[in-house]
Amino acid sequence: MLNRRALLALGLVPLAARATPRPVVGVEQFGGAARAGRDNSAPLRRALARAVAIGGDVVLGSGSYAISADALRSEGSIKRPSGVGLFGAGADKTALIVTGATATNPLFDASGASYVETRGLRLVGNAVRNDAAPYAGGVLVAALAANAAADMAGIHLVDCVVENFSSATWFHIVNLSPSRIIRDVGTAGCRWLSMPGTAPGVAQLTVPGHFVYVNGSDGRIEQVRVQSPLMAAAGVKGGVALVGDVAGAEVSIGRLVAPGGSLWQADGAKAAGIGAYGVLLYQRPGAKPRDVTIAVDELAEVASVGVYAVGAERLTIWIGRANGQRDTRDETLPKGVVALNACHDVSVRIDDARDCARVIMVALDGGVDGPQGNTSNIDILLPHIESRAGACDVVIAANGPNAAGGLRLRGQRTGPAQAGITLRAGPQAGLRDIDLSGFVGSGAARVIDVDGALLSRSSDIILPP
């Protein structure tokens, strides 16, 4: 079982800086300046081209450098060439700010490039959304084309503050090539702040929306690392998404706050059919996330699910404290601090859960493989739960005859004496090898069998004392 000491031993530290000094190019050499009214998009493009020619990097000094939204729209994203870094004096000193009221392309495009690092900048969008092109307007996109002749590697965003962008995905890595691989990508030391004052509603959230979106649906992506002290996600669906063939990933977040906050309407209701996931792992046919470690110190104000995994294998989840998970009012969607569906070899530990509508939901079969998919070898430890009135801490659901086996639940709960565990299944479903005996405390022994006959047609279920 994972613990905090083991997580610290994983070495989730910022990506290493360049060891050898290189020639430096500044936008000032091409007419750029950190002052109001000066568009630095063309000077920055020229500086990057010059850095390629001399084998150098582009360095921005202290101040705020404006990038015209009109220029990004008419001339396209600023292309990031291979082997050239873009460095500021620190996120508290150097800013790149998208100005104007035009919906834009992503700020940077590193598609097909390798060894591209952006470090020490405050990156500020203009919060203008284009509903017809929801993936426009992000920070960086890096796509490997279907017919690519070479792999990609080394796309890094380090020690930045990223805020006020309107895209469905802000840092977007996607592999479209079934024969090529993307390796060594991610972010470290970045603070992610969603659009302030996002109006309640769902127009922005009808597509997958995350600060970091790694998409291996069509080709493999390896060695993914996301480390952030803060993700404040009220204006997007979530913090991190790993989709498809993502192999070997480490996600470490200090504080993840309010994923999916703008799903909520003014009357407190949630838009039907929309889920919000702080960290999402999702399989595609023949392609599933695996060998993933997720660590979150604090998870707060979750609209739907804090960590949601579908079809993942060899997954470790640790959450230090979860507080205020909100009932989605939509039973068609998963909900909880952690939700698992059709996963294998999973270890979950939530050290402290308080005031949550649901702590754990495990769906024992399903996923994109349908009734043939199942869940196995799940180990869940909940050392301390303080339940709230009307809550159900744990839900275990089965949908088909290939029900899962190998689930062990241990924990201690306090609070109202309503049911600690709910079992739910379809008419043909059964459960096997389910050990709930280690879940104790007030109300923990109460198990609701929603179907009435589920326990009688299931085998190898050990109930709480």
Side-chain angles (χ1 to χ4, degrees):
M1 177 61 68
L2 183 71
N3 57 39
R4 186 178 181 85
R5 184 182 300 275
L7 279 170
L8 295 175
L10 288 173
L12 299 176
V13 296
L15 304 166
R18 293 185 186 275
T20 305
R22 287 156 52 95
V24 169
V25 181
V27 295
E28 288 79 5
Q29 298 170 233
F30 303 97
R35 66 171 180 261
R38 177 63 59 92
D39 174 26
N40 288 276
S41 58
L44 181 53
R45 294 177 202 269
R46 294 176 63 189
L48 290 165
R50 177 60 178 165
V52 172
I54 65 173
D57 298 308
V58 175
V59 175
L60 302 177
S62 296
S64 296
Y65 294 81
I67 300 292
S68 166
D70 288 336
L72 290 175
R73 184 179 181 89
S74 62
E75 299 171 25
S77 302
I78 296 172
K79 296 289 186 180
R80 298 295 302 275
S82 293
V84 175
L86 175 61
F87 305 126
D92 59 337
K93 297 182 176 67
T94 307
L96 274 179
I97 301 176
V98 178
T99 60
T102 303
T104 73
N105 290 298
L107 177 58
F108 298 124
D109 187 345
S111 295
S114 290
Y115 306 108
V116 173
E117 183 171 314
T118 306
R119 178 187 289 268
L121 295 166
R122 180 171 167 245
L123 302 166
V124 184
N126 68 347
V128 177
R129 186 178 73 243
N130 181 0
D131 290 334
Y135 290 98
V139 178
L140 179 145
V141 60
L144 186 60
N147 61 350
D151 296 347
M152 280 176 57
I155 310 298
H156 298 155
L157 186 68
V158 183
D159 294 339
C160 292
V161 173
V162 190
E163 59 183 296
N164 213 38
F165 285 85
S166 60
S167 173
T169 58
W170 294 21
F171 182 87
H172 191 178
I173 307 294
V174 56
N175 188 356
L176 302 173
S177 171
S179 61
R180 295 292 179 181
I181 298 175
I182 299 177
R183 294 185 177 88
D184 182 21
V185 296
T187 76
C190 295
R191 295 175 177 266
W192 303 81
L193 309 174
S194 60
M195 293 189 300
T198 303
V202 298
Q204 181 186 349
L205 302 168
T206 53
V207 292
H210 288 78
F211 291 136
V212 178
Y213 195 84
V214 179
N215 189 343
S217 296
D218 298 305
R220 179 172 298 180
I221 302 177
E222 299 178 348
Q223 302 167 25
V224 177
R225 179 165 49 185
V226 179
Q227 185 275 328
S228 171
L230 175 64
M231 289 186 165
V236 295
K237 285 182 69 175
V240 181
L242 308 175
V243 177
D245 190 359
V246 178
E250 298 174 356
V251 177
S252 176
I253 303 170
R255 190 164 191 258
L256 177 55
V257 184
S262 60
L263 292 171
W264 296 90
Q265 309 292 346
D267 62 358
K270 189 193 71 64
I274 301 295
Y277 317 116
V279 180
L280 170 68
L281 284 73
Y282 200 85
Q283 72 176 129
R284 298 295 191 189
K288 59 182 61 180
R290 60 197 183 280
D291 300 311
V292 178
T293 298
I294 298 169
V296 181
D297 288 326
E298 181 184 0
L299 179 66
E301 303 172 35
V302 180
S304 296
V305 185
V307 178
Y308 182 33
V310 178
E313 293 185 350
R314 298 184 295 278
L315 169 63
T316 301
I317 300 169
W318 174 83
I319 296 173
R321 176 167 179 166
N323 184 53
Q325 185 272 336
R326 300 175 67 177
D327 191 332
T328 65
R329 305 188 188 186
D330 187 345
E331 288 295 334
T332 66
L333 295 173
K335 54 188 174 182
V337 177
V338 173
L340 307 172
N341 186 2
C343 294
H344 303 270
D345 299 323
V346 181
S347 174
V348 178
R349 175 169 178 148
I350 304 171
D351 281 346
D352 188 6
R354 304 180 185 219
D355 192 30
C356 295
R358 184 170 298 163
V359 180
I360 293 285
M361 179 173 183
V362 181
L364 296 181
D365 49 25
V368 300
D369 294 327
Q372 290 71 44
N374 58 48
T375 298
S376 63
N377 194 19
I378 309 297
D379 192 359
I380 300 170
L381 178 60
L382 310 172
H384 181 250
I385 299 175
E386 289 190 15
S387 298
R388 74 183 187 196
C392 182
D393 301 313
V394 178
V395 173
I396 300 172
N399 301 310
N402 296 328
L407 184 149
R408 183 169 71 145
L409 172 66
R410 293 170 291 153
Q412 174 78 38
R413 76 185 295 274
T414 62
Q418 74 277 3
I421 300 172
T422 293
L423 302 178
R424 179 181 294 122
Q428 302 302 315
L431 302 175
R432 59 181 174 80
D433 194 13
I434 307 295
D435 185 352
L436 310 176
S437 61
F439 191 58
V440 299
S442 60
R446 296 185 58 195
V447 175
I448 295 179
D449 180 353
V450 173
D451 304 278
L454 176 60
L455 293 176
S456 65
R457 68 170 182 264
S458 301
S459 61
D460 301 326
I461 297 181
I462 304 175
L463 297 176

